[in-house]
């Protein structure tokens, strides 16, 4: 049985449905039908433009991040799909603080809706640091279906884990080895 580390806080009946989709090898198919639109944001420059457009549309008064990039070092295993940081530097005798958003590079190949969900999440942190009620209200303001996207993103990450595990098992059991 495959561990559902991204879904361990969800009710057991729901986890059972996911396990059934995995056993039937249909989880990827279900996600593909639900999210057929591919992600076209593939470079750091296009990610910056995409993020700033969402910010301009929904959070005009929030601080504008100085940098938005895909980051190969963010590890999904550590539950970091994106980060928001404040970088302080001395510039001309003054302390200058800039905000940065880094998005895990797994989103380059993810469906467009999942990239939007993680960008919305990180933008919300520009105003709300904690994952509290105000934070989630802001996320829902920017993406009305935020809760569903967050759950489906967890399904997508589970699907990637299943694929990775099966490839590893096939390589381990390869008779040529």
């Amino acid at each position: 049985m495959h561990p559902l580390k991204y879904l361990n806080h969800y009710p057991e009946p729901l986890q059972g449905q996911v396990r059934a989709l995995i056993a039937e090898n249909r989880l990827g198919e279900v996600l593909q039908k639900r999210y057929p639109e591919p992600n076209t944001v593939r470079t750091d420059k296009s990610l910056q433009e995409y993020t700033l457009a969402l910010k301009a549309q929904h959070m005009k008064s929030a601080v504008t991040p100085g940098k938005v990039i895909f980051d190969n070092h963010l590890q999904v295993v550590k539950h970091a799909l994106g980060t928001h940081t404040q970088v302080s530097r001395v510039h001309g005798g003054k302390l200058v603080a800039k905000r940065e958003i880094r998005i895990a590079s797994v989103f380059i190949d993810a469906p467009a809706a999942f990239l939007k969900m993680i960008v919305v999440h990180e933008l919300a942190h520009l105003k709300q640091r904690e994952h509290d009620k105000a934070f989630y209200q802001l996320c829902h303001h920017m993406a009305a279906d935020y809760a569903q996207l967050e759950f489906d993103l967890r399904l997508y990450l589970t699907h990637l884990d299943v694929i990775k595990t099966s490839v590893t098992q096939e390589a381990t059991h390869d008779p040529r080895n």
Side-chain angles (χ1 to χ4, degrees):
M1 183 180 344
H2 193 277
L4 301 178
K5 63 186 174 188
Y6 300 107
L7 302 167
N8 59 5
H9 293 100
Y10 287 89
E12 186 53 45
L14 190 58
Q15 290 184 33
Q17 291 176 344
V18 174
R19 282 190 188 93
L21 287 172
I22 292 170
E24 297 166 6
N25 201 23
R26 291 188 46 236
L27 183 56
E29 175 189 325
V30 168
L31 289 168
Q32 178 63 37
K33 282 183 182 176
R34 192 175 290 166
Y35 299 101
E37 185 180 337
N39 174 19
T40 59
V41 178
R42 309 206 53 84
T43 65
D44 289 342
K45 182 179 179 183
S46 60
L47 178 62
Q48 174 109 9
E49 291 168 357
Y50 177 79
T51 302
L52 295 181
L54 272 174
K55 183 213 168 281
Q57 183 179 0
H58 299 288
M59 299 176 56
K60 291 178 177 70
S61 64
V63 176
T64 300
K67 183 190 287 188
V68 182
I69 60 171
F70 286 111
D71 190 335
N72 292 327
H73 296 100
L74 290 178
Q75 298 296 316
V76 174
V77 174
K78 296 179 182 175
H79 301 290
L81 302 175
T83 62
H84 56 283
T85 56
Q86 184 167 319
V87 178
S88 299
R89 293 185 180 95
V90 176
H91 186 70
K94 294 181 181 179
L95 188 63
V96 178
K98 289 188 175 185
R99 292 287 188 80
E100 292 183 359
I101 293 176
R102 295 173 180 269
I103 304 295
S105 57
V106 69
F107 290 101
I108 292 172
D109 296 320
F114 298 153
L115 177 66
K116 180 178 182 180
M117 181 253 137
I118 200 67
V119 168
V120 161
H121 184 98
E122 297 309 326
L123 281 172
H125 278 304
L126 294 176
K127 283 198 161 196
Q128 301 292 329
R129 290 186 161 238
E130 301 299 320
H131 292 121
D132 56 13
K133 185 177 181 179
F135 173 84
Y136 286 106
Q137 285 176 336
L138 185 53
C139 288
H140 282 277
H141 167 72
M142 291 187 277
D145 56 348
Y146 179 83
Q148 184 66 54
L149 287 172
E150 183 177 29
F151 175 75
D152 289 345
L153 173 61
R154 291 172 181 276
L155 290 178
Y156 177 74
L157 294 172
T158 299
H159 173 64
L160 293 180
D161 268 5
V162 168
I163 291 170
K164 186 176 176 181
T165 301
S166 66
V167 167
T168 302
Q169 288 174 349
E170 286 174 14
T172 305
H173 299 310
D174 189 345
R176 294 175 290 173
N177 290 338

